Amino acid sequence: TIHSQEPRLAESEVVTFPQENVTQKQFYQKPLVLSQPSPNYTVGRSQGIDRIVLHTTEGSGKGALSWLTNPTSKASAHYLILEDGTIYNLFSTQDTAWHCRGYNEESIGIEYVGSYQKNLNESQINAGTSLLHYLMQIYGLDKKDIFPHSQLDPTRRKDPGKENLELILNNL
């Protein structure tokens, strides 16, 4: 009978690495997301995803959900985060939302229910953090790849507001 043995290294040949040099990448699971289909998108994309654009609805959750799923609105976002932290996905991130002039093809749009003039609540911030971590992980994005709508369309938009943007980004 032939027995194979693992080769053994002499103690002088064993290499160890100090633990402080070992970094583990955090893995983020997809948060609970409800589906509410919207017809307001273009199938596919002509460019890769390189940013996430943050918005506020400037109205109620019920009104925003109705508007973003109404074909006559011609407006949409990939995700909507309600006041209680519930996240709705309106269509695939592989498709193009109609949320930010000039940047739809390369971005994911996230709408927070609320106003640029009023701070988002803790439930929304926590839900948004979970969603953002997950999307950043999936698409290889960093904090620097998250933009307020107001930065990309400054003559027409003020959302999500400076304080809301700081609340969101400081929680990442």
Side-chain angles (χ1 to χ4, degrees):
T1 304
I2 300 175
H3 296 283
S4 68
Q5 289 186 338
E6 292 289 322
R8 298 204 179 260
L9 296 174
E11 200 165 312
S12 63
E13 297 175 299
V14 175
V15 178
T16 59
F17 297 95
Q19 283 296 67
E20 61 268 9
N21 291 337
V22 178
T23 59
Q24 285 190 333
K25 184 173 178 162
Q26 176 71 39
F27 175 77
Y28 297 101
Q29 291 193 8
K30 185 175 184 178
L32 175 64
V33 175
L34 303 179
S35 178
Q36 180 66 49
S38 172
N40 302 341
Y41 65 92
T42 303
V43 175
R45 290 181 176 273
S46 64
Q47 298 180 40
I49 295 167
D50 69 3
R51 70 191 66 207
I52 297 171
V53 181
L54 305 177
H55 306 265
T56 47
T57 62
E58 305 308 313
S60 71
K62 185 177 179 183
L65 197 54
S66 176
W67 181 251
L68 294 171
T69 58
N70 182 336
T72 61
S73 75
K74 303 216 183 295
S76 62
H78 294 93
Y79 295 95
L80 173 66
I81 301 175
L82 300 184
E83 298 94 334
D84 67 358
T86 300
I87 304 171
Y88 280 100
N89 177 217
L90 306 178
F91 46 85
S92 172
T93 55
Q94 299 307 309
D95 294 321
T96 304
W98 307 334
H99 65 102
C100 185
R101 288 183 185 186
Y103 296 93
N104 290 330
E105 290 290 337
E106 65 267 23
S107 65
I108 293 172
I110 299 175
E111 289 273 3
Y112 288 83
V113 172
S115 169
Y116 73 92
Q117 296 174 315
K118 183 179 176 210
N119 287 355
L120 299 171
N121 69 46
E122 188 175 349
S123 295
Q124 290 175 296
I125 298 297
N126 291 339
T129 298
S130 296
L131 179 60
L132 285 165
H133 276 147
Y134 176 74
L135 292 171
M136 290 164 62
Q137 172 181 274
I138 295 298
Y139 293 102
L141 302 174
D142 296 312
K143 209 170 173 176
K144 68 176 177 40
D145 301 317
I146 298 172
F147 293 87
H149 192 192
S150 59
Q151 183 177 339
L152 302 176
D153 192 358
T155 59
R156 297 177 351 108
R157 302 294 179 209
K158 296 181 179 179
D159 62 310
K162 183 180 179 203
E163 287 185 27
N164 284 330
L165 182 64
E166 287 174 5
L167 284 169
I168 294 165
L169 295 179
N170 288 341
N171 214 40
L172 291 176

